[in-house]
Amino acid sequence: MVDQTVLIVGVASFQGFHIARRLLQEGFDVVGIDDEGRHKTRIAKQRLYVLTHPQFQLIRTTLVNKTVIRSILKRHEPRHIILCSTRTVDNPLERYELMKRYIALHTKRVPLQSFITFDLPVQEVSEAGPAIHLFTEDVFGPWDDASTLVSKAIVAVDRGVRLSGYYATDIINVSYIDDVVESVVRLLRLIQTGMSPVGYFQIPASDYVNVQTLLSDIGHILNKSAKTSLPMRESVLRQSAVPTLDTLIGFSPSTSLFEGLEQVVDWYISYKTMMKEGIK
């Protein structure tokens, strides 16, 4: 797996950050593209400073900067490109189309082994092309920015307030970020054997729970009383017609919600303490 460069677009995102850290551990050279624009959250900026490694290079730019992106592809000749989702982007499909154009020019010089995307609107992608489109559901883990349901729930229980905008009976399909990253690593290993899968694949959830159970588990871990008196409605388990990735790579996410929550809450407490002490 070594001696290959991976280009991660959106490396400051929750997914991009964790994927980059793991790939560096695996011996890859990683080039990360991101910026510190006015829409970046504080924690997204901090993720960039955490990603310190001799085999990591951060380039602060955006995909609209054609000259810089073409120069990056020419100089680093990545064999794999991962386009990560970011919640501050208004049009993820526009980023995808831009990256496709750059790849079309780049692969005339250097063959690309894989182009992996995350969470594009599946109904709006007209064709799979050369890309592997990965879809996830409620992914959670350390270094999230309190924009996912799990992170919002942790903050709500910690502050002793009621979680708004959700019903107690809503079912969430959760996957721990380490399981998602493991799926990506195994996919890259498969590709390196010569296989070239393309199309749409879902990284399956590792656990299914309702919001009331989520709040109760967080309260137990934090040793605080969770406000679980949320409104009720008929619960629906979301199911997708997209084929799952586990049948292809031989790995399925298995970290339980409670096990993942223990790790996230430990990180959350440490991070909150760090911020209170003024370490920016």
Side-chain angles (χ1 to χ4, degrees):
M1 291 189 68
V2 294
D3 300 328
Q4 290 200 23
T5 299
V6 180
L7 175 65
I8 300 179
V9 182
V11 74
S13 68
F14 176 54
Q15 294 165 331
F17 166 77
H18 282 281
I19 292 171
R21 294 182 83 184
R22 174 65 185 277
L23 291 181
L24 289 167
Q25 293 174 4
E26 295 286 337
F28 280 101
D29 291 322
V30 176
V31 177
I33 294 178
D34 222 304
D35 67 354
E36 284 196 345
R38 60 187 179 88
H39 297 299
K40 279 282 183 295
T41 62
R42 178 175 63 177
I43 198 168
K45 295 178 181 180
Q46 290 167 339
R47 292 183 193 123
L48 293 178
Y49 292 106
V50 172
L51 282 172
T52 301
H53 193 281
Q55 289 175 252
F56 175 70
Q57 181 173 349
L58 171 65
I59 301 174
R60 301 178 189 272
T61 189
T62 64
L63 288 184
V64 297
N65 195 328
K66 298 179 181 179
T67 302
V68 173
I69 298 300
R70 289 172 180 171
S71 174
I72 292 170
L73 294 174
K74 182 178 180 180
R75 178 182 177 185
H76 296 282
E77 298 186 345
R79 304 302 301 276
H80 308 275
I81 296 176
I82 302 176
L83 181 64
C84 291
S85 59
T86 171
R87 300 178 182 92
T88 60
V89 172
D90 295 328
N91 192 342
L93 288 172
E94 184 177 335
R95 294 171 76 241
Y96 168 62
E97 293 296 335
L98 272 173
M99 198 68 242
K100 274 206 313 182
R101 295 189 199 111
Y102 294 134
I103 288 173
L105 294 173
H106 171 67
T107 51
K108 292 179 180 178
R109 299 179 57 255
V110 180
L112 191 70
Q113 284 195 324
S114 69
F115 175 34
I116 300 171
T117 78
F118 270 94
D119 300 324
L120 289 180
V122 61
Q123 69 277 10
E124 298 182 40
V125 180
S126 58
E127 41 74 35
I132 305 168
H133 301 293
L134 299 181
F135 298 90
T136 58
E137 296 191 70
D138 297 296
V139 180
F140 71 106
W143 287 99
D144 194 8
D145 55 5
S147 60
T148 65
L149 169 56
V150 173
S151 295
K152 289 177 182 178
I154 291 173
V155 172
V157 174
D158 182 49
R159 294 177 179 176
V161 300
R162 184 171 283 101
L163 181 67
S164 61
Y166 299 93
Y167 292 83
T169 49
D170 284 348
I171 297 176
I172 57 172
N173 309 336
V174 291
S175 288
Y176 191 59
I177 185 63
D178 287 357
D179 287 347
V180 173
V181 172
E182 178 67 24
S183 297
V184 174
V185 170
R186 292 197 181 211
L187 177 60
L188 291 179
R189 287 175 179 160
L190 181 67
I191 291 168
Q192 289 181 323
T193 66
M195 291 190 65
S196 301
V198 295
Y200 311 100
F201 299 94
Q202 181 174 3
I203 297 177
S206 59
D207 213 342
Y208 303 85
V209 296
N210 60 40
V211 172
Q212 182 164 317
T213 299
L214 169 66
L215 293 169
S216 297
D217 284 351
I218 293 171
H220 177 76
I221 295 170
L222 284 172
N223 196 26
K224 292 187 175 183
S225 178
K227 296 183 181 296
T228 57
S229 56
L230 301 181
M232 311 283 282
R233 68 176 175 183
E234 185 178 354
S235 60
V236 177
L237 178 62
R238 299 191 306 271
Q239 293 183 322
S240 172
V242 177
T244 56
L245 186 66
D246 54 333
T247 57
L248 188 66
I249 62 174
F251 170 80
S252 183
S254 58
T255 303
S256 69
L257 173 67
F258 194 83
E259 179 185 354
L261 280 176
E262 288 184 313
Q263 298 180 61
V264 178
V265 169
D266 283 346
W267 170 84
Y268 168 77
I269 293 171
S270 299
Y271 181 80
K272 187 174 69 168
T273 302
M274 182 178 68
M275 291 298 99
K276 283 183 177 180
E277 292 175 351
I279 303 174
K280 307 298 183 185

